[in-house]
């Protein structure tokens, strides 16, 4: 939601800078996405009158003009097609700064030009560059354009959460600022001088489906003069991303941005008999919207129609058959409230998202409809010289009333962990325009206005109090008076114990998306029948996972392709199959299950001084990890592991309960299955149904090992490795040297390992060679030699300070 700093000041008279406003609103309610300074090139630009226009002797498309700017008459060469004698236009004199350009006297095709006659785009008022801007003839020659258009503004763009439709306007943002500063809120003028003709004589409204269209307010204006909008309105709309069209349409867009309530203007004489019918569309009904696209409607789409045809898609976009144009003289103004769900469905199925639909589908304020209609009528009268018919036609079959929520001040303090006085709670609620009635010693009855549909529970009001009092006053957990600790449930204990155990076994935790490609599940095990997603975001996410392993294999493939040789990954998450198929990978369960899966690729132990080459991970290592997992989640009596083979696995291990239900399956992935995932190495996998392994009944007795103090995310950047060999007396322990290395290498040292020990010729009998591998890695960048060399030099110097220890290589 983009808002203008200048416009906000018309609602609330604050002294804060745009930067301060951004900080206040970000901390109070809405995240700032961007802040842009807007400069309109009007400083030094004056109103001039073109006295004379003659053809340029050396260019067909250029003209020679004489322009009176009050203090002098300038000779200016102009190429605009609408340049003619007798009109007034903005003129930039020599010396005027237009953005990065300074206007200077020059010659164009041999003729002198002492200024520029400007278009709207050249002044950054709008995008119109079709010709020079023709000003109102009533303006005095020499008038500074900066008095007509504000030279500067700041546009702040906030991310408005879906539960706050009230904030999708300048009024909504201004309410937040008024509450923060405790300042009055100034509403824009809505006074109208009406003619005696009642609007009800011109307009009739019938709501056939009040569930979809609960309220419809209509007003009428006669003798409207459709013309370009005034410059200040064009500039304001353009700065907020709106394209100015004409004064009538621009007024409806202006009120939308101002009050947040969408409006629509119909050419009154194109709505038969002025009869508005709010009805559901006919199945397959064709309707052409204002963007000249023909739409096919459904019976769930709400239409605005007259007795003969549809004239608008309710809450989304008007129709081309009732559009306001230059020939329009009478206007029917719509200000309505439509069912949010209905608008959302219609907008989605038409693929049509508009400023109106974005607001209606979040939930508009039904009470704002007559106010917005009145504001529109006021502006039509001021800017188009329209005559406003008396009153409005307001169809409102079932009034939507404000509701009440009970708030306990003691509950506010309990939840926030801070002592907020009762009067401060009341003050916060009053600042937010919430009516409060005393209902008891510790009870307040709060009336919620219809513009705040998000406030339905006591906890919502607690949050509102916190926002106004200030989140900075709410203490953190360490200093809070509330005891935040609680006993883990059995499920939480089980999951945490399983996670801690896998980390202790040397595995890294992965978190993958629950929606995966169905072909991956088929490649892993053809007998699995996953749930397919009807409206998938992409083909890579067209089914819900029936096993955790396919996604882990894709993670492994990604890492292998980037040079990672040894992979240990595990994940805990839900799986579910669509059909029960006996003998499959947990496919006898059709309900959602909480699974743990892990995979291992590469060596089980790296090369070292006593083992010259890495030892590859095998089935016995897998059995050791499986046993470690089962022991780690504190099972005293788990069933015996059996050896068998199943599809997609060889050298498999399985575990069943007393009833024959599969609890765990592990093994080496069949070569063709691994190759389907782009892996040409042996892959060992395991998946266990945690809730079947540890029944939830009686789970309070589950114990878990001590959780790790913290988990450190692994770096995505490559390592920088160095090997250092030292000749040292046999009396110097290798651990002493390793300790020095760890102390001196600094935070970039990821690991250090003794990988070689040598004794014998040509070394002296009382010495030996100790070789260490140092692995350096940073979390935020790829390390260079310039990063690592000083650390290695510091390590060498420190180790060589030991008696009779020297660097060998």
């Amino acid at each position: 939601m983009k808002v203008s700093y200048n416009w906000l000041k018309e609602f609330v008279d604050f002294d804060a800078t745009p930067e301060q406003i951004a900080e206040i609103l970000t901390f109070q309610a809405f995240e700032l996405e961007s802040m842009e300074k807007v400069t309109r090139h009007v400083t030094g630009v004056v109103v001039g009158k073109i006295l004379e226009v003659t053809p340029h002797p050396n260019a067909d498309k250029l003209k020679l003009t004489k322009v009176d700017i009050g203090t002098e008459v300038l000779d200016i060469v102009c190429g605009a097609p609408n340049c003619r004698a007798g009109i007034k236009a903005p003129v930039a004199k020599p010396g005027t700064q237009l953005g990065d350009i300074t206007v200077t006297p020059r010659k164009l095709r041999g003729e002198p030009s002492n200024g520029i006659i400007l278009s709207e785009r050249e002044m950054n008022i709008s995008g119109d560059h079709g010709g020079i801007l023709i000003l109102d003839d009533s303006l005095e020659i020499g008038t500074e354009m900066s008095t007509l258009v504000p030279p500067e503004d700041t546009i702040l763009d906030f991310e408005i959460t879906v539960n706050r439709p009230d904030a999708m306007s300048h009024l909504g943002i201004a309410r937040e600022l008024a509450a923060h500063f405790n300042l009055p809120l100034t509403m824009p003028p809505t006074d109208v001088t009406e003619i005696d003709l009642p609007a009800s004589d011109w307009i009739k409204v019938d709501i056939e489906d009040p569930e979809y269209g609960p309220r419809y307010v209509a007003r009428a204006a006669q003798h409207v003069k459709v013309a370009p909008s005034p410059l200040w309105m064009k500039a304001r709309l353009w700065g907020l991303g709106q394209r100015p069209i004409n004064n009538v349409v621009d007024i409806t867009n202006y009120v939308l941005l101002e009050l947040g309530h969408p409006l629509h203007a119909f050419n009154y004489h194109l709505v038969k008999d002025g009869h508005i019918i709010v009805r559901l569309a006919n199945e397959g009904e064709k309707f052409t919207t204002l963007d000249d696209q023909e739409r096919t409607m459904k019976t769930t789409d709400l239409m605005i129609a007259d007795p003969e045809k549809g004239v608008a898609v309710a809450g989304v976009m008007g129709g081309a058959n009732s559009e306001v144009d230059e020939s329009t003289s009478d206007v029917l103004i719509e200000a309505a409230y439509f069912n949010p769900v209905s608008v959302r469905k219609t907008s989605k199925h038409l693929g049509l998202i508009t400023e109106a639909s974005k607001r209606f589908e979040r939930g508009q304020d039904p009470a704002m409809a007559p106010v917005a209609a009145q504001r529109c009528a006021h502006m039509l009268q001021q800017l188009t010289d329209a005559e406003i018919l008396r009153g409005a036609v307001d169809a409102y079959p079932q009034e939507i009333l404000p509701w009440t929520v009970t708030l306990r001040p003691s509950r506010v303090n309990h939840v926030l962990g801070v002592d907020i006085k009762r009067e401060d709670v009341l003050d916060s609620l009053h600042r937010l325009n919430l009516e409060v009635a005393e209902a008891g010693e510790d009870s307040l009855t709060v009336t919620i206005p219809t513009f705040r549909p998000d406030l339905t529970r006591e906890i919502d009001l607690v949050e509102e109090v916190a926002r106004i009092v200030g989140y900075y006053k709410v203490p953190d957990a360490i200093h809070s008076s509330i005891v935040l600790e609680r006993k883990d449930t059995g499920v939480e204990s089980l999951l945490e114990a399983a996670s801690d155990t896998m980390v202790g076994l040397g595995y890294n935790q992965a978190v993958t998306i629950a929606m995966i490609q169905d072909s991956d599940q088929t490649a892993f095990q053809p007998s699995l029948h996953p749930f397919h997603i009807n409206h998938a975001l992409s083909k890579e996410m067209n089914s819900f996972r029936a096993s955790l392993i396919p996604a882990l294999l894709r993670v492994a493939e990604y890492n292998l392709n980037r040079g990672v040789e040894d992979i240990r990954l595990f994940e805990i998450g839900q799986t579910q199959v669509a059909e029960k198929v006996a003998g499959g990978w947990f496919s006898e369960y059709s309900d959602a299950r909480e699974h743990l899966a892990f995979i291992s690729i590469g060596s089980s132990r790296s090369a070292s001084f006593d083992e010259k080459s890495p030892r590859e991970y095998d089935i016995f290592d897998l059995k050791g990890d499986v046993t470690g997992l089962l022991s780690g989640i504190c099972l005293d009596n788990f069933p015996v592991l059996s050896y068998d083979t199943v599809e997609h696995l060889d050298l498999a291990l399985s575990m069943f309960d007393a009833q024959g239900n599969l609890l765990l399956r592990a093994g080496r992935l069949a070569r063709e299955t691994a190759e389907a995932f782009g892996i040409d190495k042996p892959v060992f996998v395991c998946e266990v149904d945690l809730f079947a392994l540890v029944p939830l009944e009686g789970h309070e007795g589950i114990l878990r090992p001590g959780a790790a103090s913290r988990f450190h995310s692994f770096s995505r950047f490559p390592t920088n490795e160095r090997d250092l060999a030292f000749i040292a007396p046999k009396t110097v322990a290798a651990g002493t040297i390793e300790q020095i290395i760890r102390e001196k290498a600094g935070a970039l040292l990821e690991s250090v390992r003794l990988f070689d020990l040598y004794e014998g010729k040509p070394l002296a009998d009382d010495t030996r060679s100790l070789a260490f591998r140092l692995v350096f890695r940073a979390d935020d960048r790829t390390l260079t030699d310039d990063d690592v060399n000083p650390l290695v030099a510091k390590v060498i110097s420190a180790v060589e300070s030991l008696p009779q220890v020297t660097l060998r290589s």
Side-chain angles (χ1 to χ4, degrees), residues 284-480:
E285 180 177 348
K286 304 294 183 181
F287 181 71
T288 302
T289 46
L290 280 170
D291 56 1
D292 292 324
Q293 298 294 314
E294 185 178 74
R295 315 280 177 177
T296 302
M297 311 305 293
K298 295 182 178 180
T299 55
T300 54
D301 298 329
L302 190 67
M303 297 288 294
I304 308 301
D306 65 17
E308 295 180 345
K309 62 187 179 300
V311 293
V313 181
V316 181
M317 185 178 281
N321 58 6
S322 57
E323 181 179 6
V324 171
D325 56 24
E326 290 76 8
S327 64
T328 301
S329 60
D330 302 324
V331 172
L332 187 154
I333 298 297
E334 165 194 288
Y337 171 75
F338 301 117
N339 183 291
V341 176
S342 169
V343 174
R344 187 182 307 119
K345 289 181 177 179
T346 298
S347 174
K348 184 175 181 179
H349 110 73
L350 292 179
L352 189 57
I353 300 174
T354 62
E355 291 295 326
S357 70
K358 285 191 288 188
R359 287 163 173 80
F360 275 125
E361 69 183 23
R362 295 184 183 209
Q364 274 300 299
D365 177 14
M368 183 56 73
V371 179
Q374 182 78 1
R375 173 63 172 160
C376 182
H378 167 86
M379 298 193 75
L380 285 172
Q381 191 167 69
Q382 297 294 317
L383 302 182
T384 72
D385 296 330
E387 295 179 354
I388 308 301
L389 275 64
R390 176 162 47 86
V393 176
D394 188 354
Y396 201 5
Q398 185 64 47
E399 186 177 359
I400 300 173
L401 298 172
W403 55 97
T404 61
V405 175
T406 300
L407 175 66
R408 295 164 290 170
S410 63
R411 183 63 178 167
V412 174
N413 292 331
H414 177 75
V415 172
L416 300 182
V418 63
D419 185 16
I420 299 177
K421 297 179 180 179
R422 183 186 181 93
E423 51 267 31
D424 291 334
V425 173
L426 290 169
D427 177 63
S428 299
L429 298 174
H430 287 142
R431 289 192 192 189
L432 292 165
N433 299 317
L434 305 178
E435 296 181 9
V436 184
E438 305 279 349
E441 184 177 345
D442 188 34
S443 181
L444 302 174
T445 299
V446 183
T447 301
I448 310 299
T450 50
F451 67 79
R452 288 300 302 271
D454 58 309
L455 303 181
T456 59
R457 306 166 299 165
E458 183 181 40
I459 195 66
D460 298 329
L461 295 178
V462 172
E463 182 181 4
E464 293 301 292
V465 172
R467 290 197 310 113
I468 302 304
V469 169
Y471 286 123
Y472 64 91
K473 292 185 179 180
V474 179
D476 56 31
I478 295 175
H479 300 96
S480 175

Side-chain angles (χ1 to χ4, degrees), residues 706-768:
S709 59
R710 66 187 180 91
F711 293 99
H712 179 70
S713 60
F714 46 82
S715 172
R716 296 178 299 166
F717 296 92
T719 60
N720 192 314
E721 299 182 2
R722 300 297 173 87
D723 291 345
L724 298 177
F726 296 96
I727 298 175
K730 293 182 179 180
T731 55
V732 177
T736 302
I737 297 177
E738 180 177 335
Q739 183 177 358
I740 292 175
I741 293 173
R742 292 186 182 277
E743 289 174 355
K744 300 299 180 180
L748 294 179
L749 181 68
E750 182 177 81
S751 66
V752 58
R753 179 172 55 84
L754 177 67
F755 72 90
D756 187 60
L757 184 153
Y758 176 77
E759 297 177 358
K761 301 295 183 181
L763 300 180
D765 292 340
D766 59 345
T767 62
R768 59 182 176 176

